[in-house]
Amino acid sequence: MFNFLCEDVIRPDWVVNSFPIIKFILVCLIAICSLVLIVLVLMQESEGGDTTNSITGIKDTYYSKNKGLSKDERLKKWTTILSIAIACMVLCFVILAKIFAGNIWG
């Protein structure tokens, strides 16, 4: 079932020759997405100081009711999406490196 992971499998030359290009593109995409993820995390506000109204004790505001439309909620969604994308790209990089090149950095 996993015979494509074996080193004695014959692979087409165009696949073996194009792997350095694929590897370079994946590394560049991972680096760019990582930098964007860092910026997104730095743009988010901390959630530690959740204030309430001192007289009524109510937390509900117009802002909290429409949280899905707020800037912070969009930043959180994009942070999650970008984190999953980076994890998938790294997984693809490692699998492709094992399948086609035999090692990751060679």
Side-chain angles (χ1 to χ4, degrees):
M1 180 175 181
F2 294 106
N3 62 350
F4 59 88
L5 293 175
C6 299
E7 293 184 18
D8 59 346
V9 175
I10 299 172
R11 295 173 187 91
D13 287 337
W14 68 271
V15 173
V16 175
N17 293 335
S18 65
F19 181 71
I21 297 168
I22 296 169
K23 184 168 61 170
F24 178 75
I25 291 171
L26 271 175
V27 168
C28 289
L29 282 174
I30 291 169
I32 291 169
C33 288
S34 298
L35 291 175
V36 171
L37 182 64
I38 290 170
V39 171
L40 284 177
V41 169
L42 290 175
M43 287 176 59
Q44 293 180 15
E45 294 181 18
S46 65
E47 295 181 1
D50 200 18
T51 60
T52 60
N53 189 345
S54 60
I55 297 173
T56 62
I58 299 173
K59 292 184 183 181
D60 288 336
T61 62
Y62 180 76
Y63 179 73
S64 66
K65 288 180 184 176
N66 295 317
K67 214 171 188 180
L69 303 175
S70 68
K71 176 185 168 189
D72 291 334
E73 193 62 29
R74 285 183 297 199
L75 287 175
K76 287 180 188 177
K77 287 179 186 175
W78 279 107
T79 301
T80 304
I81 292 169
L82 209 53
S83 300
I84 293 170
I86 290 171
C88 291
M89 285 188 287
V90 169
L91 188 64
C92 288
F93 178 81
V94 171
I95 290 172
L96 286 174
K98 179 63 180 166
I99 290 172
F100 294 118
N103 63 15
I104 295 176
W105 305 110

